[in-house]
Amino acid sequence: MTDAERQLVDLYLDGCLPETEHESLFRRLENDAEALSYLSARSQLHVDLRRSFKRRKLQQMAVAGASTSITQISLDRGRKPWFSWRPLAMAAAVMMMGFFWWSWPIADDPIAVESLQLAPDLTQVAVVTQLVDAVWNDVEFQTNDRVPIGSFSLKAGLARLQFLSGATVVIEGPAELELTSDLGAKVQSGLVTANVPPVAEGFTLTAAGWRAVDRGTIFGIDARSPERTEVHVIEGKVDLYHGADAAVSKTLTTGGTARLTSSTLVEQPAASADFPREADVIDRAARASQSQFEGWKLHSNGLAEDPGLVLYLDFEDIDAERGVIRNRASGAARHSDATLIGGEWTQGRWPGKNAVAFHRVGDLIRTSLRKRLDAATFIVSLRIEPESPLTQTILLTPDVGPGQIYWLIAGRETPSRGQGTVFIKTGDQPKDLRFTSKHPFKRNALGQWHTLAVVHDPANKRVRHYLNGRLIKENPLDDAHPLKLRQLVIGNWGFTSEPRNFTGRMDELAVFERALSLEEIAKF
Amino acid sequence: MTYNDEMNARERLAKHWLEAEPSVQAYVFAAVSRFQDAEDVVQQVALTVARRFDEYDETRSFSAWALWLAKSHIVDHYRKKGRERLLFSDALMDKFAEVLVQQQAVRAARSEALEHCLDKLPEKSRQILAMRYEDDAPIERVAEAIESTAGAVRVTLYRIRNLLAECMNSEVTRITQ
């Protein structure tokens, strides 16, 4: 193959080869083994490079928190806006029809771009249900995270995992486990208790070359010391198999204990090993959650007195029957209580905390503020459901003219398409000002609670985006128009063919008439 | 099927798939030549593989079987996209699958070598690759970002990939010897 012919293959794989050239290339590939081998190697290189860079990016984000890479900044330079204004007349007409006027497309290609972590149905085998003081090595999991097949290391604390088969394990750190399927795991080190309901009978923990197969039990593996691995049956029955043997070597029943080496099994007198118990972990996680809720209440009560607060919906002071959510800001304007339209009351970040669940197009909260703000900070705590539309409206003002805002979450996974949390402000028509965090939600961030904030800071000519108390992006701001918040519409943007309704839960929303600092935002 | 059998089957499926998945990705990607489309198709292949795993004959190559299933998904993909004919002919798809299966033996070593070779690249080359692969930026956007032309970026990428391929070959030779 000549160099030019090899370049043709690269052009094709980069999507740059004109279609008119395809036929001759394909004919060549069909008849030339060397050319086909080159295509094969090159195609593998492409997917390996993509996988490697996506993985590096994830690692980088895990290490540095939410950060913006040099490449994203450079890509941002000179890029044409993704959005374009529709004529004002059309906006007015749309409003008259009862729609909101924020009707421009969010991106040129709204197709969901999922990560290259393919086949989640195959590889995600467990869910993290409770954590107590958990500290992880490398990969970190939070409550409700899905855990894929593979190894992880819990440095300290307790974690309870529920396998999709129904079995649960309680792990006490330090421990290393490798999940092998929804019916089993290898215990490399640590203390692990398995609780296996009848539906998951056959659940297997492997340690020291032995397989402990459940026959309807609670049992534990003690692999804290590399020299000593023990299996304890706390309740029920466990079959022990050596290596790949098909025959049971030993069956242990309630109270039975065996010490395992790579080649031997020695029964031990019943010992009271201090295995972590499921009820204990659930109870401790609940108490930790209650304590966080109490801490939040203290912060919330103090916050309501902040003179810079113009809207504070903590979703606790409500009239559920009438759908009224009180504006708890001490300096609240009269009649600025919010009204819930549609939606339903549900649990927030902690048991006992109220939240509103938004399910359908048309579920929304509306409030009348009648404020003009120069500097402003918007903060919201929300949880997006995994099956939600790609574009999620947080809030918007339903009027026209300069100083209107639209705050939304656009897209998933890929930081290169103007995706992430987006704060849009109208300037002088027809120019809109768009501030994008370039930090889209990852698939595994869905179903988790997050606190998002955006700060409009004209004095310092900046718009800043925050996620969970961390600054994720700072955009330059060259527009002096104050924000005109006559009304705020929260969680929806009207009835259109393209769903942009918020689908998830919201349990706190605050608007300040000043630019909050990172320290203040981190307290939410 | 007993619980033990079922558990073993799931473990085998997961293990096979993790090994075969990169080849399936390369196969689908070359046939549809768009990462996003390829991802959709490979997701469907993964589900089909899982659903039909009990039909898999363990005496045969799993990758060959997965690629065979992938082929029908690629055909479906083109049909849905309204193409009048398959871009790759049936014969080319079969030959391509055979080549991928043959190259499977050094697949893991090549992936490992790639990580090593990427670390040896100059920073600027890595940045260009990051734009293309991490951000999925089309060539034109990479060119815009580095204030160059699309043609120059295409040639640069071609050269970087050649450097990587050479480095990976010598690294694989070193690892396998």
Side-chain angles (χ1 to χ4, degrees), chain A residues 121-191:
Chain A
D121 306 76
L122 291 176
T123 61
Q124 296 188 347
V125 292
V127 183
V128 179
T129 55
Q130 275 89 14
L131 294 174
V132 178
D133 303 327
V135 182
W136 304 89
N137 283 316
D138 306 326
V139 185
E140 292 201 6
F141 294 103
Q142 295 175 40
T143 309
N144 286 336
D145 274 352
R146 267 53 180 168
V147 188
I149 284 174
S151 300
F152 62 82
S153 170
L154 179 68
K155 204 170 174 181
L158 293 166
R160 178 174 178 263
L161 265 56
Q162 182 154 36
F163 285 73
L164 302 189
S165 59
T168 60
V169 293
V170 180
I171 307 157
E172 185 178 304
E176 281 182 44
L177 258 75
E178 181 191 345
L179 306 195
T180 50
S181 77
D182 61 352
L183 273 172
K186 287 179 186 158
V187 182
Q188 273 132 1
S189 66
L191 202 57

Side-chain angles (χ1 to χ4, degrees), chain A residues 3 12 40 43-44 50 182 416, chain B residues 10 26 30 39 135-136 158:
Chain A
D3 199 51
Y12 167 72
S40 174
S43 178
Q44 291 179 64
R50 188 163 190 256
D182 61 352
S416 64
Chain B
R10 288 182 205 195
E39 283 175 4
D135 300 336
D136 293 338
Y158 174 69

Side-chain angles (χ1 to χ4, degrees), chain A residues 3 10-12 14 26 30 40 42-44 48 50 52 54-55 78 114 118 182 201 416, chain B residues 3 10 25-26 30 39 87 89 95 103 107 115 132-136 141 144 154 158 161-162:
Chain A
D3 199 51
D10 259 29
L11 277 179
Y12 167 72
D14 276 324
F26 296 158
E30 207 174 318
S40 174
R42 218 51 168 188
S43 178
Q44 291 179 64
D48 282 350
R50 188 163 190 256
S52 174
K54 297 275 181 194
R55 190 173 53 229
E114 299 295 335
L118 294 164
D182 61 352
E201 189 180 323
S416 64
Chain B
Y3 286 108
R10 288 182 205 195
Q25 280 178 6
E39 283 175 4
L87 286 178
S89 70
K95 283 182 182 170
Q103 292 175 348
R107 195 74 185 72
E115 296 302 318
R132 178 77 184 99
Y133 295 105
E134 181 184 304
D135 300 336
D136 293 338
R141 188 120 58 79
E144 204 176 305
R154 281 196 286 268
Y158 174 69
R161 290 176 192 135
N162 285 350

